[in-house]
Amino acid sequence: MKTKIYDPSSKVEECEINRGKHKALYSPTEKIKVIEIDNYPLLGKFTAFRFIEWVQKNQGGVIALPTGKTPEYFIKWVQRILSQWDTNEIQSILETYDMNRSARPEMKDLTFIQIDEFYPMNSNQNNSFYYYINEFYIVGFGLSKENALLIDSTSLGIPHGKTMGEIFPNNIVDLTLRVRKTTTELERIQRDVINRIDEYCMEYETKIRELGGIGFFLGGIGPDGHIAFNVRGSSIHSVTRLTATNYETQAATATDLGGIEISRNRLVITIGLATITYNPTVTAIIMAAGEAKAEVVAHAIQEKRNPQYPASVLQDIPNSRFYLTRGASACLIERQYEDISKIKRFSEEESDRIVISLALSKNKSLQELNIKDFTDDRFGSVLLKSSRVDHVLLTDVARQNIIQKLDRGLMHVSGTTFLHTEPHHDDIMLSYLAHIYHLVRDASNLHYFANLTSGFTSVTNAYVLSVLMKLEKFLNSESFTLLFNEGYFESENHSNRQADVYMFLDGVAANNPEKRDNAEACRLLRNMFDIYLVHDLEKIKQRIKELHDYFNTQYPGAKDPIDIQTLKGTLREWEVESLWAYFGIETSSIFPLRLGFYTGDIFAREPEINRDVIPIYNLIKKIKPDIVSVAFDPEGSGPDTHYKALQAVASALNMYEKETGDSHIKVWGYRNVWYRFDQAEADLIIPVSLNSLSLLHTAFMNCFGSQRAASFPSYDHDGPFSELAQKIQVKQYSDVKTCLGKDYFLKNSHPRLRAARGMIFLKEMKLSDFYKIVRELKIKTEGETIE
């Protein structure tokens, strides 16, 4: 089988490299070329033009494109380029990149290769990759389905007359049947099905090679470094196959499949590393955004080829590239060194970051660092030379800055109005719950909470069913009859919403599960009255039956209709009301804004002024806060809800300031289990006691029932988010203690510092500084968008 020769040359890349601040390759440390883009949306735009350029030069080529969230802006820009080819905007960009502007590229001549798919999987489901490809690539790009090599796993390998559910109950496929003796007739059939799938995979691989191999490969990189589903440890000689995944990959795909309970047992069909690299002239591009990907990216680019770093296989491909945001390139050492070497005047933050990193790498306190430690370190020596400051002064300044941040974190706050905003209902508690624990002790502080989205996507069908069963039991109880006859559920009686919460917390305090369940049932019933606009109990019972039917027949991960989305969202809103009631904060201070950009679609809408900004603006105008908190994703690369919520809050604040002239508001940027500040970046460092860490976990497990089972966990931790948040805060404390020395805490006169076992990092900003950061991230979109 012969490979096909492709033209990999790119003026698009040349243009971006020439106007960037780094070279494409820093040899010998880097073994794959890198192009850095400012942020995630621009990354998709650049990649789209590079793809169009390749198509122009390689008509009829073989392409393989990714699924999931990573290619969102790539897909949107390719569709925009194709549909608006003759507009001044597109023609101008084509001219900038010195691309062929005369003819729109012909997409139907391309051959599309599907990279991977879950197994078992009904390909008609909207969370299958087969569905995604048909929706966004075949239809969205105008490709030919006849020319596409797709993986339709709906009945793959299944004997005629049988169903997937009959062959693999609960969708569990035991790959040990490949090698072990079967013990039942069902196992024999299962083994035969697995053998047929293996044969299918071999034929799939052969077809790709008969096409000459892949000409343009675009992929993301997983939390363990995987490309396609070639997880950590995959052979560089691997080909298309049916295989299992690892925990990190299961956590990353939990959202697609409706929970890690499902993704733990789901296998995948994936092309192999040798499939990707079969054609030596392939243009192989990996897109990555955000600091969370920086380490796995660095391993693939800087380490030797190694099965532990699957993407390192691309080092053998001359036309391989990594397209990265600044954050994703943060661990590429030569680029860091070049940036630091160009600094003529170090800011205190930049200086502190180098000094603190040096202390942590040496496991020494700042005061213990000596001149040799600095001169032996590339970054430390540059700092010494550039700053012309004695190392003792550098370490002393860094130390004093940390102490000042701690002092500010300990400072008593009074007479302050807070508006705490969060994209998801547990974002705040997983970030700075311990700080709120102290802030609420002063009754002159006022606290308001804005839940920016309804959060329904993180509520599983199984959890809703469990709450429905509590409601059914409650409806048949004497306590319900009594409450109902007393008018407890009358819609005009708003105070009883708070009574639901008090009943729940009474149950928590008394360790009385029945009382807690009754409280949850009361709130669910109240919500169903509101959602379905009925107050007749017989109609409610009929609706419950319909909901049972829906949740028992709907496949996990499917997009729910609006009423189900709303119902799931109210369960999350109930959870957050229960949490803040721990601190005496009533439901009237909690505002579920349910912003419209949050839809449950694969690609969420962009924030809009009227729909998403005005509700926040009105709330700010009503509350007149002194401090507004916001989940701070500075690169727009993480859960896109965080980024879009950040944009909406910034626009609302800007609107409020322009109207009122009030610029005194401060912004607290926080991060939690997805992103972390370093010590130099933070402005406030708040000590966290063991008692507060315990509260974090117990409150999370008591209040956040939908999250207790960790159906959508972080790939960093196999368990509930409260455990991961504690782990992060303890690590931050350990780093601060290393820098200051253990005696600083052991012998400190302040009891909160002596009691500290964790640390919270916050970034405090003036409005002008906050706008500056957000303005640099702003996405230019069509229609009435954030300005």
Side-chain angles (χ1 to χ4, degrees), residues 298-312:
H299 286 153
I301 294 171
Q302 296 180 159
E303 301 292 338
K304 293 179 181 178
R305 277 197 323 164
N306 189 321
Q308 293 300 305
Y309 315 128
S312 66

Side-chain angles (χ1 to χ4, degrees), residues 64-65 93 113 116 157 307 371 445 460 502 560 567 620 664:
L65 305 176
I93 300 172
I113 303 294
D116 45 27
I371 186 66
N445 292 324
T460 65
Y502 285 166
D560 295 313
L567 185 67
I620 293 171
H664 87 284

Side-chain angles (χ1 to χ4, degrees), residues 34-325:
V34 172
I35 297 176
E36 294 169 83
I37 308 298
D38 285 337
N39 58 50
Y40 177 43
L42 290 179
L43 178 67
K45 177 181 178 182
F46 166 72
T47 308
F49 278 95
R50 173 65 185 108
F51 171 67
I52 293 296
E53 178 190 42
W54 186 91
V55 173
Q56 287 180 328
K57 294 184 176 185
N58 298 279
Q59 287 291 320
V62 179
I63 63 172
L65 305 176
T67 53
K69 291 283 190 182
T70 298
E72 174 180 0
Y73 291 99
F74 163 75
I75 289 170
K76 288 178 178 178
W77 267 102
V78 170
Q79 293 178 351
R80 185 171 180 171
I81 293 165
L82 294 174
S83 64
Q84 302 178 26
W85 182 265
D86 294 321
T87 63
N88 290 336
E89 178 198 22
I90 300 303
Q91 287 291 306
S92 175
I93 300 172
L94 293 170
E95 183 177 15
T96 298
Y97 284 135
D98 198 17
M99 292 172 62
N100 181 353
R101 293 182 291 146
S102 59
R104 180 183 177 277
E106 182 51 63
M107 307 299 287
K108 287 189 178 298
D109 293 339
L110 296 169
T111 297
F112 185 94
I113 303 294
Q114 183 171 343
I115 294 172
D116 45 27
E117 182 60 280
F118 298 112
Y119 188 87
M121 172 59 76
N122 185 330
S123 295
N124 294 317
Q125 294 180 190
N126 64 11
N127 58 346
S128 73
F129 293 156
Y130 181 90
Y131 179 93
Y132 182 110
I133 287 163
N134 278 279
E135 179 80 8
F136 295 111
Y137 291 139
I138 304 299
V139 176
F141 286 12
L143 302 176
S144 167
K145 192 167 185 178
E146 289 69 30
N147 288 348
L149 190 56
L150 304 180
I151 305 170
D152 184 348
S153 61
T154 304
S155 58
L156 187 58
I158 303 300
H160 181 71
K162 296 287 186 179
T163 66
M164 190 73 76
E166 290 175 311
I167 303 299
F168 298 116
N170 299 316
N171 290 317
I172 295 176
V173 182
D174 182 2
L175 290 183
T176 67
L177 289 169
R178 281 175 172 156
V179 294
R180 70 172 173 84
K181 186 177 179 61
T182 59
T183 59
T184 66
E185 177 62 16
L186 180 59
E187 284 193 343
R188 185 193 65 75
I189 297 172
Q190 290 175 337
R191 181 195 61 192
D192 291 345
V193 171
I194 292 170
N195 288 340
R196 282 193 285 272
I197 296 169
D198 289 341
E199 183 179 356
Y200 169 87
C201 291
M202 180 182 70
E203 293 171 352
Y204 195 86
E205 181 75 20
T206 300
K207 289 176 182 177
I208 294 173
R209 298 191 179 211
E210 287 175 345
L211 289 167
I214 298 169
F216 186 94
F217 175 85
L218 178 64
I221 187 166
D224 67 326
H226 71 249
I227 53 175
F229 273 125
N230 295 284
V231 299
R232 186 181 60 250
S234 296
S235 168
I236 63 173
H237 304 295
S238 58
V239 293
T240 305
R241 63 206 185 278
L242 174 69
T243 186
T245 58
N246 54 15
Y247 170 73
E248 296 97 322
T249 304
Q250 292 159 8
T253 58
T255 300
D256 293 323
L257 293 173
I260 198 167
E261 305 90 345
I262 299 160
S263 61
R264 280 190 198 278
N265 298 314
R266 197 63 58 96
L267 303 183
V268 295
I269 295 172
T270 179
I271 64 173
L273 296 175
T275 318
I276 298 168
T277 60
Y278 173 73
N279 189 320
T281 64
V282 61
T283 294
I285 297 168
I286 301 297
M287 296 172 65
E291 292 181 13
K293 295 291 179 70
E295 190 172 344
V296 294
V297 163
H299 286 153
I301 294 171
Q302 296 180 159
E303 301 292 338
K304 293 179 181 178
R305 277 197 323 164
N306 189 321
Q308 293 300 305
Y309 315 128
S312 66
V313 71
L314 299 182
Q315 293 175 10
D316 288 340
I317 303 298
N319 305 313
S320 63
R321 301 285 188 272
F322 269 75
Y323 291 173
L324 307 175
T325 63

Side-chain angles (χ1 to χ4, degrees), residues 499-558:
D500 295 342
V501 176
Y502 285 166
M503 185 193 307
F504 177 81
L505 294 186
D506 287 345
V508 171
N511 196 23
N512 185 333
E514 183 178 0
K515 183 169 282 191
R516 288 162 50 183
D517 290 350
N518 285 352
E520 287 185 82
C522 283
R523 180 52 64 86
L524 178 58
L525 179 60
R526 203 182 297 279
N527 290 335
M528 289 181 66
F529 284 152
D530 292 341
I531 294 168
Y532 296 110
L533 302 176
V534 296
H535 285 77
D536 182 281
L537 287 181
E538 290 306 313
K539 290 183 178 179
I540 285 293
K541 289 177 180 178
Q542 177 60 32
R543 180 65 68 173
I544 291 173
K545 182 179 182 300
E546 293 169 0
L547 289 172
H548 269 289
D549 292 341
Y550 173 83
F551 289 118
N552 281 318
T553 56
Q554 184 72 305
Y555 63 86

Side-chain angles (χ1 to χ4, degrees), residues 421 432 628-632 645-646 649 667-671 765 770:
T421 75
Y432 63 99
V628 175
S629 72
V630 60
F632 197 65
L646 173 72
V649 172
V667 176
W668 280 0
Y670 64 86
R671 296 180 181 172
M765 294 162 279
F770 178 58

